[in-house]
Amino acid sequence: MKRIIARTTLLVALMTALTACGGSPTRESTGEYIDDSVITTRVKAAFVEDKAVNALDIKVVTFKGAVQLSGFANNPQEADRAVQLARNVKGVTSVKNDIRLK
């Protein structure tokens, strides 16, 4: 009897752990969170390398491959360049531009 209870407890714990790592429409899975962190880092790195974009003034948030840019740009060309750079990053599925002009 103790064996059955121990196995059942182990099975429930395992199922709970696996379910906790899964995603939903409003929550990322563990793997998606890691992927999105990599995408965010690559977009910010592209901003740093490009002289036309001020990387410190533009915030990048990624959720399931969709990138949202916010913050401030000095001119429309800077905002457009930031969107273009973000779209060219591997893994980006879409880019939402919420950048405002100073």
Side-chain angles (χ1 to χ4, degrees):
M1 185 69 173
K2 286 185 179 181
R3 258 183 154 173
I4 293 173
I5 293 173
R7 285 184 185 172
T8 304
T9 303
L10 180 62
L11 182 62
V12 169
L14 182 62
M15 294 298 288
T16 302
L18 291 175
T19 304
C21 293
S24 70
T26 58
R27 202 182 77 173
E28 297 170 305
S29 69
T30 303
E32 288 170 329
Y33 178 81
I34 293 168
D35 292 345
D36 287 343
S37 296
V38 170
I39 290 170
T40 298
T41 301
R42 288 180 178 166
V43 171
K44 290 296 276 184
F47 291 173
V48 169
E49 290 176 5
D50 194 283
K51 300 298 179 201
V53 177
N54 185 348
L56 297 176
D57 288 342
I58 299 176
K59 182 178 177 186
V60 179
V61 176
T62 308
F63 181 74
K64 295 190 176 193
V67 172
Q68 180 175 354
L69 304 176
S70 60
F72 298 95
N74 293 317
N75 53 57
Q77 294 79 16
E78 181 181 2
D80 292 342
R81 181 67 180 153
V83 171
Q84 179 185 21
L85 289 169
R87 283 190 179 132
N88 290 334
V89 171
K90 183 180 177 184
V92 172
T93 58
S94 64
V95 176
K96 182 176 181 188
N97 182 5
D98 286 332
I99 300 171
R100 304 288 179 234
L101 296 179
K102 288 183 181 179

